[in-house]
Amino acid sequence: MTFQLKKSHASYLAILLSLPCLTFSADTGKLKPAVNTPDATICSVSALERTLPFPVGEKALYFLNIREGDKLHAPFRVAFSVSGMGVAPVAAGEIEGTGHHHILIDLDLPQDIKKPIPFDKADEYQRQHYKHFGKGETETVLNLPPGKHKLRLMFANHQHVPYYIASKEINIEVLPSQ
């Protein structure tokens, strides 16, 4: 089955793809542009980019709802995804081609990729550096202190050893509470 788009419909498609992401407001009962809040609709790339297939064997890790230069109020929701690999909880043990997410906060990539990604100390809540998602989570709420922060995703196996699949580093700014 093939799909052909008539020339007269091509301009409508271009308009639809250029529209901003929308979310439904329970307060007003109307659609409104998505804003990065913990309950916002996930949308950071165009519909066309979201539907492009990844070549076989290509692995990619990326943030879904935040991007370079975003200015946010804490706490804020962060959603993330991986392509070319499966997500599995640590408790599932070793399953070929699967792993779980980690967020590196204000850190460079580890020098030794054969070592497991470390855990933060329990009392280091305000200065988090490593967020583990060993239950297979694909989103979280971050409560970072005001200021500039750099975030990067890493994907690791059931023993927290990186596959060395990492997202592009993004820089965000957490704004002071109002």
Side-chain angles (χ1 to χ4, degrees):
M1 179 178 178
T2 60
F3 176 76
Q4 289 186 332
L5 188 63
K6 292 182 182 181
K7 278 188 173 183
S8 62
H9 294 130
S11 60
Y12 294 119
L13 179 61
I15 291 168
L16 286 174
L17 290 176
S18 69
L19 290 174
C21 300
L22 300 174
T23 187
F24 183 78
S25 169
D27 298 334
T28 64
K30 296 179 182 177
L31 289 174
K32 62 180 184 176
V35 178
N36 191 353
T37 60
D39 60 340
T41 299
I42 297 170
C43 188
S44 64
V45 295
S46 74
L48 183 60
E49 289 173 309
R50 288 192 307 269
T51 58
L52 291 176
F54 284 92
V56 175
E58 185 174 340
K59 296 169 176 66
L61 198 57
Y62 45 92
F63 292 101
L64 294 171
N65 67 325
I66 60 173
R67 59 185 152 215
E68 177 69 27
D70 277 355
K71 295 178 189 240
L72 313 161
H73 289 283
F76 57 94
R77 184 172 155 265
V78 180
F80 34 90
S81 186
V82 65
S83 292
M85 302 274 305
V87 176
V90 170
E94 185 176 357
I95 302 173
E96 183 70 29
T98 69
H100 64 282
H101 294 277
H102 298 80
I103 297 179
L104 277 59
I105 303 168
D106 299 328
L107 293 173
D108 294 325
L109 288 172
Q111 296 285 330
D112 187 352
I113 64 168
K114 296 189 187 283
K115 287 186 179 178
I117 296 171
F119 286 83
D120 285 334
K121 295 175 185 147
D123 62 349
E124 212 172 17
Y125 180 72
Q126 284 298 314
R127 276 324 262 158
Q128 302 171 64
H129 294 292
Y130 301 97
K131 290 285 284 181
H132 289 253
F133 301 97
K135 293 180 183 173
E137 303 98 313
T138 57
E139 64 179 61
T140 190
V141 174
L142 290 180
N143 191 10
L144 299 177
K148 294 185 178 192
H149 298 281
K150 62 182 183 179
L151 304 176
R152 183 188 303 264
L153 292 165
M154 283 201 73
F155 206 66
N157 68 16
H158 68 290
Q159 295 176 323
H160 305 281
V161 176
Y163 284 113
Y164 221 65
I165 301 169
S167 71
K168 193 168 95 176
E169 180 181 282
I170 63 168
N171 294 285
I172 62 163
E173 184 175 352
V174 176
L175 302 172
S177 299
Q178 296 177 353

